[in-house]
Amino acid sequence: MKQAPDGFVRLRDVDSSILEDVRYATPHNFTGDPVPGYDEPMCVLTRPLAEALHRAQQQLVPEGYSLKVYDCYRPQQADDRFVEWAQNDDHRMKDEFYPGLAKSELYSAGYIAENSGHSRGSSVDLTLVRLPAAPQRPYVPGEPLHPCTDPEGKRFPDNSVDMGTGFDCFDDRAHTDDPRITGEARANRDVLRDAMTSVGLQGYSGEWWHFNLPDEPFPGEYFDFPVNSAAFR
C-alpha cells in the first residue's frame, strides 16, 4: 500500500466542518464510473492548502455558508484514466457533462489533460452551501440526465448555491466570468472567489470551481498514492 508523502493531510483532520462530496469516488462524474485511485470519498490535500480552506471556512460560516469540496488531491492514475476515456466511445454521461461538445473535442479544448495540479495536492474544486446544509440527493446510475447548463431546478439537484452551471460542466458557461451568468449565480461566484482569494488562493478562469495554491510545496511533482485512510497510517 502506497503511503501519502509527508506534507499531505486529510481535510477532515484540519477542518471537519467543510463538506465533502468527492464525485470521482462515485459514478456521478463525466466517465460514469468510480475513477481509479479514489478508494474512498475523502478529500486529501497538502497541508498549506487545507489550512487555507480552514481559514476561508472560518470567514464563511458566520455569513451562513459552508465550503463543499468536489475534488482535492487526484492520483495520477485518475488523469491517465481521463485521457483513456476521452479516446473511447463511451458517451453515457454526455447529456449532463458535455451537452454542447463532441467528446472528441474535450482533449483539444483543455477539459481533459495528461497532468493536473490536483496530482500535486495543491488544487481544489469546490463550491458553497447555505447553512444549515440540506441533504445531498444521491445520484442513481442510469437515471435521466439533464444538461449541466440547465437552470437550477432542472439540472442535477446539488445542495449548493446556484453557480449557473453544475460541477465539471464542459461548457463556456462554466468560465468564471462568462457574461451570460448574471444575478444570484454571478453573486455566488463572486462570494466564492472573494473567499478563496482572501486566503491566498488563485482561481482558474475556465472553471468557477477550481482554485490553486500559488506557493505549492511540490511544484513539478505528480503523485499516485491512492485516496484512502490506509495511506495515512
Side-chain angles (χ1 to χ4, degrees):
M1 179 61 67
K2 293 183 178 179
Q3 295 298 112
D6 290 343
F8 280 81
V9 296
R10 296 177 294 189
L11 177 60
R12 66 184 183 223
D13 292 334
V14 175
D15 192 328
S16 61
S17 74
I18 297 176
L19 304 174
E20 300 188 23
D21 183 9
V22 180
R23 295 287 179 87
Y24 296 149
T26 78
H28 191 210
N29 64 73
F30 58 86
T31 74
D33 296 303
V35 177
Y38 289 85
D39 298 344
E40 297 177 29
M42 180 174 71
C43 177
V44 173
L45 297 166
T46 55
R47 180 172 289 279
L49 179 51
E51 291 175 347
L53 296 186
H54 171 62
R55 294 195 301 273
Q57 182 80 340
Q58 288 182 308
Q59 297 176 22
L60 288 164
V61 168
E63 298 174 8
Y65 297 101
S66 173
L67 294 172
K68 181 173 85 163
V69 294
Y70 292 120
D71 192 33
C72 302
Y73 159 72
R74 180 188 306 162
Q76 180 59 48
Q77 61 188 290
D79 278 326
D80 295 344
R81 169 58 180 154
F82 294 161
V83 172
E84 176 191 20
W85 169 86
Q87 299 168 348
N88 68 30
D89 59 359
D90 181 353
H91 300 279
R92 282 176 292 161
M93 306 301 284
K94 174 178 171 55
D95 288 348
E96 178 171 353
F97 291 97
Y98 51 108
L101 285 175
K103 188 176 180 181
S104 60
E105 299 177 88
L106 298 180
Y107 189 87
S108 61
Y111 292 112
I112 303 294
E114 295 178 358
N115 300 112
S116 167
H118 283 278
S119 298
R120 300 192 296 270
S122 289
S123 295
V124 64
D125 296 337
L126 75 177
T127 189
L128 297 173
V129 174
R130 271 288 185 187
L131 294 173
Q136 171 64 57
R137 177 176 81 74
Y139 165 77
V140 179
E143 70 174 77
L145 300 177
H146 303 281
C148 56
T149 53
D150 273 359
E152 185 183 35
K154 292 187 176 181
R155 61 181 184 262
F156 181 80
D158 197 290
N159 67 345
S160 67
V161 301
D162 183 13
M163 292 290 190
T165 76
F167 165 62
D168 256 3
C169 190
F170 299 159
D171 188 274
D172 289 351
R173 291 173 181 81
H175 293 182
T176 304
D177 292 319
D178 188 279
R180 290 166 291 185
I181 305 302
T182 59
E184 182 179 350
R186 164 57 50 206
N188 289 333
R189 288 190 186 188
D190 290 344
V191 171
L192 178 62
R193 177 165 52 187
D194 289 349
M196 296 297 99
T197 58
S198 74
V199 296
L201 303 186
Q202 291 180 342
Y204 168 50
S205 63
E207 298 172 346
W208 58 257
W209 54 82
H210 182 100
F211 292 86
N212 298 310
L213 179 71
D215 190 18
E216 58 182 293
F218 301 107
E221 296 192 53
Y222 299 94
F223 296 98
D224 197 36
F225 65 91
V227 178
N228 59 37
S229 299
F232 290 88
R233 290 175 187 155

